[in-house]
Amino acid sequence: MGREIAHKSKRLVVSGYYGFDNSGDEAVLQSILFALKEQGEAAGISIEPVVLSANPQRTREMYGVEACHRMKVPDLFRAIKSSDGLISGGGSLLQDATSSRTIPYYLLVLKLAQWMRKPTFIYSQGIGPVNNPRFFSWIRSTFKKCAMITVRDQESADLIGRMGVPASAVSVVPDPVMGLPLRGEAASGKAGAADASGETGRVPVVGVSVRFWNADRSELDALAEALRAVMDSRRIEVRLLPFHLPSDEEASAYVAERLSPAGEGGDVRIVRGVTHPQDMLAEVSACDVLVGMRLHSLIYAASQFVPMVGVSYDPKIDQFLARLGMKAAASTQSFDAAAVAAEIGRLLDGRREWADGKKAAIDQLKKEAQLPAQQIMQFYR
């Protein structure tokens, strides 16, 4: 029996927001690929991923996997037809806040696989917001035909429950990026709480991940004010980390210009051109505190035991922080610069205590991040 299992091979199509130079979504893909490989090896199953990407050549080069264009119907059709199943996720794929075309696209990919009688798996997705009620029946009918439904927070489970998806069919798991390792580490390994602040004479680094949101840029102005207050009270390096290129580089430059007359230079630096998720993870790991608007900047920080200050523009930020017993320090609608500056200072002084206090919860999230891949392997065994 063991010999038979060891020769199993499964070709799985992976659908998501991949190939767009968004570090968070690329981290989701990398995390899923790592988890599938690790759990496949444990189950004696060789996994052959095929990624649907906006930039297949780049995806092939970055991850060493087969890829095809997500919008070329003949390629999409052939990929699914030759597969043993389709994974949809992770990330916030089923939401209509950014576009009314997003939900129809991802459901169409799932429907096509189901029409071809391929097993379909919902992998740690964040569902919503879904403002158009006509999408409710579309999501319900598609999900009811899925072999696995896992979502990354209870709010997503509650939302699809209101759509009519049975609660018994849904599992709440962490975002897959909680399981992303630094280069050279095993995907399911536990990183210890870092203590960069212990280096004698080293200037503490405050990492900052920002995006454009308010039309008047008031949230970025307030954040710059908070960072300036910290810089006036102690020596720090502000290291701006753009997660979505090129727009986040522009948002980072906006903040840098308000921190220093010359923008970049001295104690203000923008880390440019980082596209591989593990390279960005290493950048976050080198910080003493992370101030983040991007969800995955906060997830990166948590996975590396870097204290975080969340700035919420979307419920998904609040939902993730709640899993660590935390609340956002500010939002794009309500931003007290003095309070955020005080929180950054508190965490800089108490990094080790923060990491020790969150270690059990973070280790549990890291472990649970492997559950969807485990369930998929159980399905094929």
Side-chain angles (χ1 to χ4, degrees), residues 150-175:
T150 56
V151 295
R152 71 182 180 200
D153 48 63
Q154 188 58 48
E155 291 80 1
S156 294
D158 293 342
L159 177 56
I160 58 176
R162 293 195 295 273
M163 295 179 188
V165 178
S168 59
V170 182
S171 298
V172 177
V173 298
D175 188 289

PDB file of all heavy atoms in Angstrom, residues 150-175:
ATOM      1  N   THR A 150     -12.429  26.304   2.909  1.00  0.00           N
ATOM      2  CA  THR A 150     -11.755  26.874   4.071  1.00  0.00           C
ATOM      3  C   THR A 150     -11.670  28.388   3.866  1.00  0.00           C
ATOM      4  O   THR A 150     -11.371  28.865   2.780  1.00  0.00           O
ATOM      5  CB  THR A 150     -10.338  26.303   4.268  1.00  0.00           C
ATOM      6  OG1 THR A 150      -9.554  26.498   3.080  1.00  0.00           O
ATOM      7  CG2 THR A 150     -10.395  24.820   4.587  1.00  0.00           C
ATOM      8  N   VAL A 151     -11.956  29.142   4.934  1.00  0.00           N
ATOM      9  CA  VAL A 151     -11.899  30.603   4.887  1.00  0.00           C
ATOM     10  C   VAL A 151     -10.970  31.079   5.998  1.00  0.00           C
ATOM     11  O   VAL A 151     -10.723  30.362   6.965  1.00  0.00           O
ATOM     12  CB  VAL A 151     -13.295  31.240   5.033  1.00  0.00           C
ATOM     13  CG1 VAL A 151     -14.179  30.882   3.835  1.00  0.00           C
ATOM     14  CG2 VAL A 151     -13.970  30.808   6.336  1.00  0.00           C
ATOM     15  N   ARG A 152     -10.461  32.312   5.856  1.00  0.00           N
ATOM     16  CA  ARG A 152      -9.401  32.748   6.753  1.00  0.00           C
ATOM     17  C   ARG A 152      -9.884  33.479   7.991  1.00  0.00           C
ATOM     18  O   ARG A 152      -9.066  33.889   8.822  1.00  0.00           O
ATOM     19  CB  ARG A 152      -8.400  33.615   5.992  1.00  0.00           C
ATOM     20  CG  ARG A 152      -8.912  34.976   5.607  1.00  0.00           C
ATOM     21  CD  ARG A 152      -7.894  35.767   4.821  1.00  0.00           C
ATOM     22  NE  ARG A 152      -8.425  37.070   4.458  1.00  0.00           N
ATOM     23  CZ  ARG A 152      -7.929  37.812   3.481  1.00  0.00           C
ATOM     24  NH1 ARG A 152      -6.915  37.371   2.768  1.00  0.00           N
ATOM     25  NH2 ARG A 152      -8.446  38.992   3.223  1.00  0.00           N
ATOM     26  N   ASP A 153     -11.196  33.672   8.145  1.00  0.00           N
ATOM     27  CA  ASP A 153     -11.700  34.324   9.352  1.00  0.00           C
ATOM     28  C   ASP A 153     -13.167  33.975   9.553  1.00  0.00           C
ATOM     29  O   ASP A 153     -13.858  33.547   8.619  1.00  0.00           O
ATOM     30  CB  ASP A 153     -11.512  35.844   9.282  1.00  0.00           C
ATOM     31  CG  ASP A 153     -11.996  36.445   7.970  1.00  0.00           C
ATOM     32  OD1 ASP A 153     -13.207  36.355   7.704  1.00  0.00           O
ATOM     33  OD2 ASP A 153     -11.172  36.984   7.209  1.00  0.00           O
ATOM     34  N   GLN A 154     -13.631  34.141  10.789  1.00  0.00           N
ATOM     35  CA  GLN A 154     -15.001  33.794  11.130  1.00  0.00           C
ATOM     36  C   GLN A 154     -16.002  34.676  10.396  1.00  0.00           C
ATOM     37  O   GLN A 154     -17.105  34.240  10.051  1.00  0.00           O
ATOM     38  CB  GLN A 154     -15.215  33.914  12.641  1.00  0.00           C
ATOM     39  CG  GLN A 154     -16.559  33.386  13.125  1.00  0.00           C
ATOM     40  CD  GLN A 154     -16.796  31.934  12.784  1.00  0.00           C
ATOM     41  OE1 GLN A 154     -15.922  31.091  13.005  1.00  0.00           O
ATOM     42  NE2 GLN A 154     -17.965  31.616  12.214  1.00  0.00           N
ATOM     43  N   GLU A 155     -15.627  35.927  10.136  1.00  0.00           N
ATOM     44  CA  GLU A 155     -16.530  36.834   9.428  1.00  0.00           C
ATOM     45  C   GLU A 155     -16.832  36.323   8.027  1.00  0.00           C
ATOM     46  O   GLU A 155     -17.967  36.445   7.548  1.00  0.00           O
ATOM     47  CB  GLU A 155     -15.912  38.231   9.371  1.00  0.00           C
ATOM     48  CG  GLU A 155     -15.846  38.940  10.715  1.00  0.00           C
ATOM     49  CD  GLU A 155     -14.687  38.518  11.590  1.00  0.00           C
ATOM     50  OE1 GLU A 155     -13.874  37.650  11.161  1.00  0.00           O
ATOM     51  OE2 GLU A 155     -14.575  39.041  12.724  1.00  0.00           O
ATOM     52  N   SER A 156     -15.839  35.735   7.356  1.00  0.00           N
ATOM     53  CA  SER A 156     -16.066  35.149   6.034  1.00  0.00           C
ATOM     54  C   SER A 156     -17.005  33.952   6.134  1.00  0.00           C
ATOM     55  O   SER A 156     -17.897  33.772   5.300  1.00  0.00           O
ATOM     56  CB  SER A 156     -14.739  34.719   5.403  1.00  0.00           C
ATOM     57  OG  SER A 156     -13.917  35.832   5.130  1.00  0.00           O
ATOM     58  N   ALA A 157     -16.806  33.131   7.166  1.00  0.00           N
ATOM     59  CA  ALA A 157     -17.686  31.974   7.373  1.00  0.00           C
ATOM     60  C   ALA A 157     -19.121  32.427   7.630  1.00  0.00           C
ATOM     61  O   ALA A 157     -20.075  31.849   7.109  1.00  0.00           O
ATOM     62  CB  ALA A 157     -17.169  31.130   8.534  1.00  0.00           C
ATOM     63  N   ASP A 158     -19.265  33.482   8.439  1.00  0.00           N
ATOM     64  CA  ASP A 158     -20.608  33.991   8.731  1.00  0.00           C
ATOM     65  C   ASP A 158     -21.276  34.537   7.472  1.00  0.00           C
ATOM     66  O   ASP A 158     -22.483  34.346   7.264  1.00  0.00           O
ATOM     67  CB  ASP A 158     -20.526  35.096   9.793  1.00  0.00           C
ATOM     68  CG  ASP A 158     -20.075  34.581  11.151  1.00  0.00           C
ATOM     69  OD1 ASP A 158     -20.151  33.354  11.380  1.00  0.00           O
ATOM     70  OD2 ASP A 158     -19.639  35.399  11.983  1.00  0.00           O
ATOM     71  N   LEU A 159     -20.495  35.219   6.619  1.00  0.00           N
ATOM     72  CA  LEU A 159     -21.059  35.803   5.403  1.00  0.00           C
ATOM     73  C   LEU A 159     -21.568  34.729   4.450  1.00  0.00           C
ATOM     74  O   LEU A 159     -22.703  34.818   3.964  1.00  0.00           O
ATOM     75  CB  LEU A 159     -20.005  36.667   4.696  1.00  0.00           C
ATOM     76  CG  LEU A 159     -20.427  37.287   3.360  1.00  0.00           C
ATOM     77  CD1 LEU A 159     -21.682  38.131   3.501  1.00  0.00           C
ATOM     78  CD2 LEU A 159     -19.280  38.116   2.770  1.00  0.00           C
ATOM     79  N   ILE A 160     -20.767  33.695   4.193  1.00  0.00           N
ATOM     80  CA  ILE A 160     -21.258  32.667   3.277  1.00  0.00           C
ATOM     81  C   ILE A 160     -22.352  31.824   3.936  1.00  0.00           C
ATOM     82  O   ILE A 160     -23.182  31.231   3.245  1.00  0.00           O
ATOM     83  CB  ILE A 160     -20.119  31.782   2.720  1.00  0.00           C
ATOM     84  CG1 ILE A 160     -19.337  31.085   3.835  1.00  0.00           C
ATOM     85  CG2 ILE A 160     -19.202  32.608   1.840  1.00  0.00           C
ATOM     86  CD1 ILE A 160     -18.277  30.123   3.294  1.00  0.00           C
ATOM     87  N   GLY A 161     -22.372  31.809   5.276  1.00  0.00           N
ATOM     88  CA  GLY A 161     -23.486  31.163   5.969  1.00  0.00           C
ATOM     89  C   GLY A 161     -24.788  31.887   5.680  1.00  0.00           C
ATOM     90  O   GLY A 161     -25.834  31.253   5.455  1.00  0.00           O
ATOM     91  N   ARG A 162     -24.746  33.228   5.670  1.00  0.00           N
ATOM     92  CA  ARG A 162     -25.937  34.016   5.337  1.00  0.00           C
ATOM     93  C   ARG A 162     -26.340  33.834   3.877  1.00  0.00           C
ATOM     94  O   ARG A 162     -27.507  34.030   3.523  1.00  0.00           O
ATOM     95  CB  ARG A 162     -25.696  35.498   5.629  1.00  0.00           C
ATOM     96  CG  ARG A 162     -25.535  35.811   7.113  1.00  0.00           C
ATOM     97  CD  ARG A 162     -25.650  37.297   7.404  1.00  0.00           C
ATOM     98  NE  ARG A 162     -24.590  38.081   6.803  1.00  0.00           N
ATOM     99  CZ  ARG A 162     -23.405  38.304   7.372  1.00  0.00           C
ATOM    100  NH1 ARG A 162     -23.134  37.777   8.565  1.00  0.00           N
ATOM    101  NH2 ARG A 162     -22.497  39.037   6.769  1.00  0.00           N
ATOM    102  N   MET A 163     -25.390  33.425   3.060  1.00  0.00           N
ATOM    103  CA  MET A 163     -25.699  33.145   1.649  1.00  0.00           C
ATOM    104  C   MET A 163     -26.348  31.780   1.469  1.00  0.00           C
ATOM    105  O   MET A 163     -26.866  31.482   0.400  1.00  0.00           O
ATOM    106  CB  MET A 163     -24.412  33.199   0.808  1.00  0.00           C
ATOM    107  CG  MET A 163     -23.756  34.548   0.739  1.00  0.00           C
ATOM    108  SD  MET A 163     -22.225  34.452  -0.258  1.00  0.00           S
ATOM    109  CE  MET A 163     -21.544  36.090   0.030  1.00  0.00           C
ATOM    110  N   GLY A 164     -26.285  30.954   2.509  1.00  0.00           N
ATOM    111  CA  GLY A 164     -26.909  29.636   2.424  1.00  0.00           C
ATOM    112  C   GLY A 164     -25.938  28.480   2.345  1.00  0.00           C
ATOM    113  O   GLY A 164     -26.345  27.337   2.112  1.00  0.00           O
ATOM    114  N   VAL A 165     -24.637  28.745   2.540  1.00  0.00           N
ATOM    115  CA  VAL A 165     -23.653  27.662   2.563  1.00  0.00           C
ATOM    116  C   VAL A 165     -23.652  27.055   3.959  1.00  0.00           C
ATOM    117  O   VAL A 165     -23.464  27.776   4.951  1.00  0.00           O
ATOM    118  CB  VAL A 165     -22.247  28.178   2.209  1.00  0.00           C
ATOM    119  CG1 VAL A 165     -21.221  27.044   2.280  1.00  0.00           C
ATOM    120  CG2 VAL A 165     -22.235  28.819   0.825  1.00  0.00           C
ATOM    121  N   PRO A 166     -23.882  25.742   4.104  1.00  0.00           N
ATOM    122  CA  PRO A 166     -23.970  25.123   5.432  1.00  0.00           C
ATOM    123  C   PRO A 166     -22.695  25.315   6.250  1.00  0.00           C
ATOM    124  O   PRO A 166     -21.584  25.128   5.741  1.00  0.00           O
ATOM    125  CB  PRO A 166     -24.194  23.632   5.116  1.00  0.00           C
ATOM    126  CG  PRO A 166     -24.714  23.602   3.715  1.00  0.00           C
ATOM    127  CD  PRO A 166     -24.094  24.768   3.016  1.00  0.00           C
ATOM    128  N   ALA A 167     -22.851  25.674   7.510  1.00  0.00           N
ATOM    129  CA  ALA A 167     -21.696  25.893   8.389  1.00  0.00           C
ATOM    130  C   ALA A 167     -20.856  24.632   8.527  1.00  0.00           C
ATOM    131  O   ALA A 167     -19.634  24.707   8.685  1.00  0.00           O
ATOM    132  CB  ALA A 167     -22.168  26.371   9.755  1.00  0.00           C
ATOM    133  N   SER A 168     -21.492  23.465   8.450  1.00  0.00           N
ATOM    134  CA  SER A 168     -20.781  22.197   8.606  1.00  0.00           C
ATOM    135  C   SER A 168     -19.791  21.947   7.469  1.00  0.00           C
ATOM    136  O   SER A 168     -18.879  21.124   7.608  1.00  0.00           O
ATOM    137  CB  SER A 168     -21.777  21.042   8.671  1.00  0.00           C
ATOM    138  OG  SER A 168     -22.570  20.994   7.488  1.00  0.00           O
ATOM    139  N   ALA A 169     -19.961  22.649   6.353  1.00  0.00           N
ATOM    140  CA  ALA A 169     -19.083  22.452   5.198  1.00  0.00           C
ATOM    141  C   ALA A 169     -17.887  23.390   5.203  1.00  0.00           C
ATOM    142  O   ALA A 169     -17.020  23.298   4.331  1.00  0.00           O
ATOM    143  CB  ALA A 169     -19.869  22.649   3.899  1.00  0.00           C
ATOM    144  N   VAL A 170     -17.823  24.300   6.186  1.00  0.00           N
ATOM    145  CA  VAL A 170     -16.821  25.377   6.172  1.00  0.00           C
ATOM    146  C   VAL A 170     -15.878  25.256   7.368  1.00  0.00           C
ATOM    147  O   VAL A 170     -16.321  25.041   8.493  1.00  0.00           O
ATOM    148  CB  VAL A 170     -17.512  26.760   6.199  1.00  0.00           C
ATOM    149  CG1 VAL A 170     -16.480  27.880   6.144  1.00  0.00           C
ATOM    150  CG2 VAL A 170     -18.515  26.884   5.061  1.00  0.00           C
ATOM    151  N   SER A 171     -14.576  25.400   7.099  1.00  0.00           N
ATOM    152  CA  SER A 171     -13.571  25.438   8.171  1.00  0.00           C
ATOM    153  C   SER A 171     -12.895  26.797   8.171  1.00  0.00           C
ATOM    154  O   SER A 171     -12.590  27.347   7.111  1.00  0.00           O
ATOM    155  CB  SER A 171     -12.514  24.348   7.962  1.00  0.00           C
ATOM    156  OG  SER A 171     -13.091  23.060   8.006  1.00  0.00           O
ATOM    157  N   VAL A 172     -12.670  27.342   9.364  1.00  0.00           N
ATOM    158  CA  VAL A 172     -11.950  28.611   9.508  1.00  0.00           C
ATOM    159  C   VAL A 172     -10.490  28.290   9.820  1.00  0.00           C
ATOM    160  O   VAL A 172     -10.183  27.602  10.788  1.00  0.00           O
ATOM    161  CB  VAL A 172     -12.562  29.478  10.623  1.00  0.00           C
ATOM    162  CG1 VAL A 172     -11.754  30.764  10.794  1.00  0.00           C
ATOM    163  CG2 VAL A 172     -14.022  29.801  10.311  1.00  0.00           C
ATOM    164  N   VAL A 173      -9.602  28.785   8.962  1.00  0.00           N
ATOM    165  CA  VAL A 173      -8.163  28.533   9.102  1.00  0.00           C
ATOM    166  C   VAL A 173      -7.421  29.863   8.976  1.00  0.00           C
ATOM    167  O   VAL A 173      -8.002  30.860   8.539  1.00  0.00           O
ATOM    168  CB  VAL A 173      -7.670  27.543   8.021  1.00  0.00           C
ATOM    169  CG1 VAL A 173      -8.358  26.196   8.161  1.00  0.00           C
ATOM    170  CG2 VAL A 173      -7.878  28.119   6.618  1.00  0.00           C
ATOM    171  N   PRO A 174      -6.146  29.921   9.332  1.00  0.00           N
ATOM    172  CA  PRO A 174      -5.398  31.174   9.164  1.00  0.00           C
ATOM    173  C   PRO A 174      -5.114  31.465   7.696  1.00  0.00           C
ATOM    174  O   PRO A 174      -5.244  30.585   6.824  1.00  0.00           O
ATOM    175  CB  PRO A 174      -4.090  30.911   9.918  1.00  0.00           C
ATOM    176  CG  PRO A 174      -4.356  29.729  10.782  1.00  0.00           C
ATOM    177  CD  PRO A 174      -5.366  28.910  10.050  1.00  0.00           C
ATOM    178  N   ASP A 175      -4.717  32.690   7.416  1.00  0.00           N
ATOM    179  CA  ASP A 175      -4.207  33.033   6.096  1.00  0.00           C
ATOM    180  C   ASP A 175      -2.993  32.149   5.817  1.00  0.00           C
ATOM    181  O   ASP A 175      -2.156  31.938   6.692  1.00  0.00           O
ATOM    182  CB  ASP A 175      -3.797  34.510   6.076  1.00  0.00           C
ATOM    183  CG  ASP A 175      -3.427  35.002   4.693  1.00  0.00           C
ATOM    184  OD1 ASP A 175      -2.359  34.591   4.198  1.00  0.00           O
ATOM    185  OD2 ASP A 175      -4.191  35.794   4.110  1.00  0.00           O
TER     186      ASP A 175
END
